[in-house]
Amino acid sequence: MKKTPALRLINPQSHCSFVIKEEPFDLNTKWHYHPEIEIMYFRKGKVSAIMGNRFMEFNEGELVLLGQDFPHVIFKHENHKEGDTMPEGVVIQFAHDFLGAHFFQAPEMVKVRSLLWKAKSGILFKTKETGKVKRFLEGISRKSGPYQLTSLLEILIHLSEEQPMHFLTIEHEYNRSELDERRMRLIKEYIYANFKNKITVADMANLVNMTETSFCRYYKRRTLKSLTRTLNEIRVSYACEMLRKKEANVTEACYQSGFTSPAFFSRTFKKIVGMPPSDYRKHKMEQIVRW
């Protein structure tokens, strides 16, 4: 295990202000952190994990709440055999201000605000403590938008009332230098501010005073993906938002999201979303009509 976890960029889903995954766990990721708060519910199977500075095992029915920048990774349990059903569960990731800068400052949210602050140390909720939230977690990815949001709030409210809380670690610093943090923040801010325009490796390397080769190696190590992949995911996410809101046709979405070739846009969109942009737009328009 490397001493320094990698920054992982969480791309927002086009139809939601936070990320919901209800599927088998990805057990091939590396030790990482991200600024988004994360709920991880272990529904089926058993996994091993490193949470902060502790090696742990998680069983069915357990749940962890991980605060901003909390380093973690889950992987196959030593008893997992080839052919066994993959462990699965629910993962929810959201920015601390995804409902606005002041939502959790409301007096009604005082317990939830305290919960999210405590989550900086990581919190484990055991099976007997997750009974109240299980009904909000099961099938959350298949609910309509408003019910996904209210379910998340119900989960946070119930978790905030559990006592005592089992903390995963008492350390908040994980060997990430101030220089490295500033560098990654600068890179992220530049990408999100300029993704609609052409961004080259040379641009990024100059931004942080590195050679192109060093930047590529550094960026891949810190984010677990290439600069090209990051840009494609962000641009497709933006195009999805435009198509969903009927603000543009497919060609307009292609160019306005930063792509320069409609053919490449369609191939990349299908690879990431699972369907061509024209089908995605048609599907979203049909949903609006039914609503």
Side-chain angles (χ1 to χ4, degrees), residues 207-237:
L207 181 69
V208 291
N209 297 315
M210 300 174 73
T211 66
E212 293 183 31
T213 301
S214 296
F215 172 80
C216 289
R217 186 164 53 245
Y218 169 80
Y219 188 82
K220 185 69 176 288
R221 185 179 73 250
R222 301 296 283 120
T223 68
L224 309 180
K225 60 181 72 175
S226 67
L227 176 64
T228 298
R229 179 179 169 185
T230 297
L231 289 171
N232 286 342
E233 290 177 350
I234 294 172
R235 286 166 175 165
V236 165
S237 179

Side-chain angles (χ1 to χ4, degrees), residues 22-217:
E22 194 171 3
E23 59 192 12
F25 287 117
D26 182 358
L27 302 180
N28 297 309
T29 58
K30 298 179 181 180
W31 196 33
H32 64 277
Y33 69 98
H34 42 72
E36 291 77 12
I37 299 164
E38 180 165 341
I39 295 171
M40 193 180 300
Y41 175 64
F42 303 94
R43 180 167 57 197
K44 183 185 296 183
K46 189 172 186 176
V47 300
S48 296
I50 294 178
M51 295 283 167
N53 52 11
R54 293 178 60 189
F55 177 86
M56 304 187 70
E57 295 179 349
F58 295 106
N59 298 295
E60 294 179 4
E62 294 182 324
L63 178 151
V64 292
L65 176 64
L66 309 178
Q68 294 177 266
D69 298 332
F70 189 91
H72 59 282
V73 64
I74 61 173
F75 44 91
K76 288 181 181 179
H77 190 269
E78 60 181 5
N79 294 334
H80 184 91
K81 298 180 178 61
E82 195 70 33
D84 286 353
T85 302
M86 291 297 292
E88 64 180 52
V90 180
V91 173
I92 304 174
Q93 298 159 326
F94 58 95
H96 69 96
D97 58 353
F98 82 107
L99 289 175
H102 304 293
F103 181 83
F104 289 114
Q105 300 301 317
E108 295 82 1
M109 291 287 104
V110 61
K111 286 187 177 181
V112 174
R113 184 166 69 251
S114 176
L115 173 75
L116 299 181
W117 184 84
K118 292 174 182 177
K120 292 179 180 181
S121 295
I123 307 173
L124 167 65
F125 296 91
K126 299 181 180 179
T127 304
K128 66 179 181 179
E129 299 160 349
T130 59
K132 293 180 181 179
V133 301
K134 184 177 179 181
R135 65 190 178 98
F136 297 107
L137 285 160
E138 295 292 352
I140 188 172
S141 65
R142 298 186 294 278
K143 295 178 180 179
S144 62
Y147 293 103
Q148 288 182 338
L149 178 57
T150 56
S151 292
L152 173 56
L153 292 176
E154 288 278 8
I155 291 166
L156 293 174
I157 290 168
H158 285 299
L159 293 180
S160 72
E161 295 173 344
E162 287 294 336
Q163 295 294 335
M165 293 183 180
H166 314 283
F167 294 102
L168 300 177
T169 180
I170 60 173
E171 295 185 20
H172 295 167
E173 298 299 328
Y174 299 96
N175 230 7
R176 298 195 299 273
S177 71
E178 185 178 344
L179 172 62
D180 193 50
E181 288 300 297
R182 287 202 305 269
R183 178 183 288 163
M184 287 308 303
R185 184 167 59 251
L186 185 63
I187 290 170
K188 182 178 180 180
E189 289 173 352
Y190 184 90
I191 290 174
Y192 277 96
N194 297 281
F195 70 87
K196 296 179 186 179
N197 305 313
K198 183 179 180 180
I199 298 178
T200 67
V201 172
D203 294 332
M204 302 307 299
N206 289 333
L207 181 69
V208 291
N209 297 315
M210 300 174 73
T211 66
E212 293 183 31
T213 301
S214 296
F215 172 80
C216 289
R217 186 164 53 245

Side-chain angles (χ1 to χ4, degrees), residues 3 12 49 133 136 205 252 260:
K3 289 184 178 181
V133 301
F136 297 107
E252 291 170 336
T260 57

Side-chain angles (χ1 to χ4, degrees), residues 252-263:
E252 291 170 336
C254 164
Y255 291 113
Q256 292 181 32
S257 59
F259 288 94
T260 57
S261 164

